[in-house]
Amino acid sequence: MAASGVASPTRTEVLQLYRSLLRVARQFCDYNIREYTKRRTIDAFRDNKNLTDPSQLSAAFSDGKAQLEVAKRQAVVYSLYAPKVKSIMDIRPS
Amino acid sequence: MALKLLRQTLIKTKQTTLLRRFSTAAAVASPTEYEDTEGIIMKGVKIAGRPLYLDMQATSPVDPRVLDSMLPFYLSRYGNPHSRTHLYGWESETAVETARAQVAELIGASPREIVFTSGATESNNISVKGVMRFYKDKKRHVITTQTEHKCVLDSCRHLQQEGFEVTYLPVGSDGLIDLDKLRKEIRPDTGLVSVMAVNNEIGVIQPVEEIGRICKEFNVPFHTDAAQALGKIKVDVNKWNVSLMSLSGHKIYGPKGVGALYMRRRPRIRVEPQMNGGGQERGIRSGTVPTPLVVGMGAACELAMKEMEYDERRIKGLQERLLNGIREKIDGVVVNGSMERRYVGNLNLSFAYVEGESLLMGLKDVAVSSGSACTSASLEPSYVLRALGVDEDMAHTSIRFGIGRFTTEEEIDRAVDLTVKQVEKLREMSPLYEMVKEGIDIKQIQWAQH
């Protein structure tokens, strides 16, 4: 994806993307995928916290948006085939 | 009021369903025979929920990003990649070639050196039997190890029946082969050296770079089964000097039923094909290439390249958490295989004075395996542990914990609690353990014969 000519994302846009990813993570009915999506989002945003180069920023932002689309679709697919019984980690409090 | 009741009855599940009430999309898939809302009853065991999965060496869950890349090829892009005359064929072929490039990039090879197969077992068969049968006039000797995967050992046994000679190198108690022994066994008519990169049962990483160097010195083709290594440790076919490498899709969060074989072009290694037919995959493996599976494997490889460092850091922390958690609470825990040269996601532990089957039966909330999935049908202890020189009783009580990308800290803590509880319970009931606590050395006892 060519990043030239695309403006760097603003702080609000980045925060919106972050919140959307975490929101979609909550929608997964599979315990492992849900936790992974949450954790990976937090770690990825933390790792890219100090990026300053605008082309890198736009690349990371578009990558994040693409991942958000994938996650939204997959949340629907997983819910269509959700097993009736949840993972044991979701049932009993440890 | 009535409307609220109607709404409640129509919406079966709570916030996990994203389909609105009058949506024309299909309803949630119907439950299977062994599941109901209270739990699962299978094989006489009742558990409240799906067990937590710690068996990543047997197989791994498909990553949602991989599934996302595969689905279009089941829905609308269903063409046969070998159809040359229409869009369906062209788009499938493009997808297969993209996937080929993704796999090649992960191992440092060129896309022209990758052949897609149905899995690492098929790739191993093609490598071992195909190479030896092609060069059968000049080369009659194969060198492999005692801890190889069953498919390699079985292929070698087949070759022995055809009249070839096979040397099975022994391993030390840490699971690694002795390089001097390898050097001594190489003969002028050695046609292949086959050593797996990462063992599926104990997780040890063989010294593949040194083996590659020895093979280059003696000009012997080197085959490695990298099914467990791909995407987990850095794999480079040029640094390792491999001529053939078997890869598997379902160990790296990809679909089951697909794998690949790397075949070096310079210097060219040639094999006799095991699947004859229309000459697909350069004649090495005929048969329609399964586009969705291959696309999935490609996507999994690309993901693995991006996530390898992050995953490894995390899994290393989880492994330490697991091992330290167990060791803090109970003693008599032995790690099978070298601790230093080990893939971090594989932890094979033996618990002294505990019977293996009962331990596994008690751990029904944790999905782990003892030995490997392909040998769990037979009752004898794993041949890999026997090759390590582990005593029979310790070999029977071994458990393999597999940690992966999706494992969480809470799962590890829960697994530690359950394991410790079960081991303590079994030891409590064990008269042997009582004797050990009193200081009696079990090995010195003269058992009276009745």
Side-chain angles (χ1 to χ4, degrees):
Chain A
M1 286 195 213
S4 61
V6 178
S8 287
T10 64
R11 182 190 150 80
T12 338
E13 284 177 337
V14 168
L15 281 176
Q16 260 176 0
L17 178 64
Y18 183 70
R19 272 197 291 268
S20 309
L21 278 165
L22 288 182
R23 204 173 309 135
V24 105
R26 276 202 297 274
Q27 287 170 348
F28 274 103
C29 44
D30 181 302
Y31 165 78
N32 292 96
I33 309 289
R34 186 189 329 138
E35 293 298 311
Y36 176 76
T37 314
K38 246 190 341 199
R39 186 176 60 234
R40 192 74 188 91
T41 309
I42 296 174
D43 287 341
F45 273 75
R46 184 183 303 140
D47 287 340
N48 288 338
K49 194 167 58 171
N50 297 318
L51 283 184
T52 47
D53 177 28
S55 65
Q56 274 183 338
L57 273 170
S58 326
F61 186 69
S62 10
D63 183 44
K65 292 203 84 156
Q67 300 289 327
L68 177 64
E69 291 309 306
V70 171
K72 279 199 205 155
R73 284 197 291 266
Q74 290 308 306
V76 175
V77 171
Y78 273 75
S79 78
L80 290 173
Y81 291 94
K84 202 133 201 237
V85 184
K86 298 285 163 233
S87 157
I88 208 144
M89 301 300 292
D90 275 336
I91 296 179
R92 263 192 312 206
S94 338
Chain B
M1 186 62 189
L3 215 63
K4 200 169 175 189
L5 204 59
L6 185 66
R7 188 202 194 95
Q8 267 181 331
T9 41
L10 281 180
I11 300 178
K12 269 195 267 185
T13 49
K14 289 188 287 211
Q15 60 267 26
T16 52
T17 185
L18 302 176
L19 303 174
R20 286 190 299 278
R21 224 186 327 148
F22 294 114
S23 147
T24 47
V28 176
S30 52
T32 48
E33 307 82 53
Y34 54 87
E35 280 185 329
D36 58 29
T37 36
E38 274 131 45
I40 305 174
I41 304 181
M42 217 175 185
K43 306 219 187 235
V45 175
K46 186 170 206 301
I47 38 180
R50 297 184 69 78
L52 59 98
Y53 192 75
L54 282 183
D55 198 14
M56 295 291 171
Q57 279 71 39
T59 185
S60 50
V62 174
D63 193 302
R65 295 164 282 190
V66 167
L67 184 64
D68 194 69
S69 68
M70 286 167 65
L71 280 174
F73 295 92
Y74 281 120
L75 302 175
S76 54
R77 303 194 206 157
Y78 46 79
N80 183 327
H82 312 294
S83 302
R84 315 213 123 214
T85 54
H86 48 68
L87 172 72
Y88 291 94
W90 302 331
E91 67 187 356
S92 279
E93 191 184 0
T94 318
V96 167
E97 294 310 312
T98 314
R100 207 188 293 276
Q102 285 167 326
V103 175
E105 210 187 325
L106 184 56
I107 59 175
S110 134
R112 295 195 295 174
E113 296 170 314
I114 303 281
V115 169
F116 284 113
T117 61
S118 71
T121 299
E122 185 181 347
S123 303
N124 281 333
N125 269 269
I126 298 178
S127 308
V128 175
K129 295 195 292 205
V131 163
M132 292 316 288
R133 285 178 185 160
F134 190 86
Y135 294 108
K136 65 176 181 283
D137 297 322
K138 303 268 188 55
K139 309 283 184 182
R140 306 293 297 177
H141 181 226
V142 180
I143 300 180
T144 182
T145 69
Q146 287 176 357
T147 53
E148 286 299 300
H149 195 264
K150 257 283 159 61
C151 51
V152 173
L153 294 179
D154 205 55
S155 304
C156 288
R157 198 162 48 84
H158 239 269
L159 287 178
Q160 271 181 305
Q161 282 173 348
E162 286 180 14
F164 292 87
E165 285 174 41
V166 182
T167 303
Y168 299 94
L169 287 174
V171 291
S173 63
D174 57 356
L176 302 170
I177 63 164
D178 188 340
L179 293 164
D180 295 319
K181 281 210 186 100
L182 170 65
R183 207 178 263 277
K184 279 208 226 47
E185 293 290 340
I186 294 185
R187 308 189 323 213
D189 69 341
T190 300
L192 188 71
V193 168
S194 176
V195 180
M196 69 192 327
V198 174
N199 189 289
N200 54 323
E201 279 196 50
I202 47 182
V204 297
I205 306 177
Q206 298 287 351
V208 269
E209 277 190 41
E210 284 84 14
I211 300 175
R213 218 173 300 139
I214 295 179
C215 290
K216 191 168 189 162
E217 202 184 304
F218 289 92
N219 204 12
V220 177
F222 176 30
H223 162 251
T224 181
D225 178 357
Q228 298 282 347
L230 183 68
K232 314 230 167 94
I233 60 172
K234 191 87 190 55
V235 174
D236 187 331
V237 292
N238 291 314
K239 263 214 290 190
W240 290 8
N241 193 44
V242 284
S243 309
L244 294 146
M245 188 153 78
S246 308
L247 309 168
S248 172
H250 70 108
K251 306 281 166 49
I252 48 167
Y253 314 98
K256 293 181 192 39
V258 70
L261 174 63
Y262 160 78
M263 289 178 51
R264 182 173 281 277
R265 294 188 103 233
R266 285 206 186 93
R268 183 177 287 245
I269 180 100
R270 308 195 55 186
V271 296
E272 188 193 80
Q274 305 292 305
M275 290 283 288
N276 303 107
Q280 286 85 10
E281 295 292 292
R282 287 187 288 124
I284 310 286
R285 203 272 183 194
S286 298
T288 303
V289 172
T291 319
L293 299 179
V294 156
V295 164
M297 182 169 181
C301 288
E302 193 181 28
L303 261 181
M305 206 154 65
K306 280 197 242 161
E307 304 273 335
M308 198 177 339
E309 205 194 301
Y310 174 80
D311 282 343
E312 189 182 336
R313 235 183 310 142
R314 222 173 144 265
I315 295 176
K316 188 157 184 16
L318 288 175
Q319 185 211 45
E320 282 167 4
R321 197 180 176 121
L322 179 62
L323 191 55
N324 296 339
I326 292 184
R327 279 211 162 127
E328 266 168 22
K329 310 226 179 108
I330 48 180
D331 60 346
V333 175
V334 176
V335 178
N336 295 314
S338 151
M339 241 351 249
E340 295 80 35
R341 290 206 55 113
R342 161 183 289 272
Y343 165 58
V344 287
N346 183 326
L347 194 59
N348 190 313
L349 301 176
S350 280
F351 300 93
Y353 321 115
V354 164
E355 211 275 307
E357 288 271 330
S358 9
L359 181 56
L360 274 185
M361 282 295 104
L363 285 179
K364 51 197 166 87
D365 286 340
V366 184
V368 285
S369 99
S370 93
S372 71
C374 45
T375 55
S376 55
S378 64
L379 287 175
E380 52 176 74
S382 138
Y383 62 92
V384 172
L385 292 179
R386 207 163 346 116
L388 285 183
V390 176
D391 287 331
E392 287 270 325
D393 52 343
M394 291 297 265
H396 264 115
T397 187
S398 73
I399 296 218
R400 176 185 70 186
F401 292 95
I403 308 173
R405 186 185 286 167
F406 298 108
T407 317
T408 63
E409 281 87 356
E410 290 82 27
E411 283 183 320
I412 297 284
D413 291 338
R414 180 83 73 96
V416 165
D417 285 337
L418 289 170
T419 312
V420 164
K421 229 174 26 194
Q422 190 65 12
V423 167
E424 281 176 343
K425 196 166 87 170
L426 287 172
R427 280 185 177 166
E428 195 85 9
M429 298 194 288
S430 157
L432 274 180
Y433 189 58
E434 267 180 50
M435 297 205 303
V436 165
K437 275 204 296 195
E438 287 168 15
I440 305 175
D441 180 10
I442 297 193
K443 303 249 192 302
Q444 302 296 343
I445 299 176
Q446 306 279 17
W447 299 103
Q449 301 199 322
H450 291 274

